[in-house]
Amino acid sequence: MKRKGMNYLAGMAVLALAGCVTMPTEPQTTNQPSVAVDTRPVACTPANAEDPVIGNWLSKRNEKGIQGELRTLVTLQANGQMLYTEQVKRPRQPSQGLSEAGCWTRDGQTIVLQTLESNGLPVEADDPLFTNRFAIERQQGKRLVVRAETGARYTLEQVSPGYRLPF
């Protein structure tokens, strides 16, 4: 009986202390400056409707130092929008990936991808990390070979319009 009374008193003390806690009425500020990200919708420049690079392009490759297969799906739409999805597929493990969206343009023999969202979050469009250029080395039918600014070479196969990377 004495224990029950002690538990009751301890519970009442917790409730009394909880009543003394107040919620802050103003947001707390930090000394770090906040970075404003422009979230206004960006209108992409439509591509030439006859451009042969419009479509879904899939690359599967292995890279030194990465265990598993890298799969990249690039969707270049006629309205100038692009989707870029990259996954690492490892045996007996779920895929890990990156999903980006933005705009694309063609500058001569170069495809320029401008990321505006990465994994669903807006990015700073003026950060050079989010602009990628790929020189077109060769395009024959449903096969496209491009070279990134880093020197990496990608061979892509055109896939159906509704294709998605499997998990």
Side-chain angles (χ1 to χ4, degrees), residues 121-141:
L121 298 174
V123 300
E124 293 181 49
D126 58 346
D127 186 335
L129 175 68
F130 297 109
T131 302
N132 294 286
R133 299 175 184 280
F134 297 90
I136 299 172
E137 290 189 347
R138 183 176 60 241
Q139 182 175 8
Q140 289 179 297

Side-chain angles (χ1 to χ4, degrees), residues 20-164:
C20 295
V21 175
T22 60
M23 297 300 289
T25 55
E26 294 181 28
Q28 295 180 355
T29 60
T30 63
N31 292 336
Q32 298 177 357
S34 64
V35 177
V37 175
D38 189 0
T39 57
R40 293 176 294 177
V42 175
C44 299
T45 304
N48 176 351
E50 302 299 317
D51 195 325
V53 299
I54 291 173
N56 283 352
W57 298 93
L58 177 65
S59 168
K60 294 180 181 181
R61 66 194 186 285
N62 293 303
E63 285 189 14
K64 186 177 180 180
I66 296 178
Q67 181 184 5
E69 180 182 58
L70 284 170
R71 297 176 180 175
T72 304
L73 178 65
V74 181
T75 301
L76 304 176
Q77 299 174 355
N79 65 3
Q81 293 180 342
M82 73 86 182
L83 300 171
Y84 177 94
T85 306
E86 188 163 64
Q87 287 182 346
V88 178
K89 182 67 177 159
R90 295 183 174 110
R92 298 173 304 280
Q93 292 184 14
S95 298
Q96 295 175 309
L98 170 70
S99 180
E100 297 185 339
C103 299
W104 75 278
T105 57
R106 184 161 176 173
D107 183 14
Q109 285 298 101
T110 301
I111 298 170
V112 182
L113 304 182
Q114 177 65 54
T115 299
L116 301 174
E117 286 186 1
S118 183
N119 288 334
L121 298 174
V123 300
E124 293 181 49
D126 58 346
D127 186 335
L129 175 68
F130 297 109
T131 302
N132 294 286
R133 299 175 184 280
F134 297 90
I136 299 172
E137 290 189 347
R138 183 176 60 241
Q139 182 175 8
Q140 289 179 297
K142 295 184 177 217
R143 186 179 203 105
L144 178 65
V145 179
V146 297
R147 186 173 303 273
E149 291 175 300
T150 61
R153 189 174 189 203
Y154 300 92
T155 300
L156 301 114
E157 299 285 331
Q158 194 168 30
V159 292
S160 65
Y163 183 84
R164 297 288 179 254

Side-chain angles (χ1 to χ4, degrees), residues 10-20:
M12 291 304 289
V14 168
L15 288 175
L17 288 174
C20 295

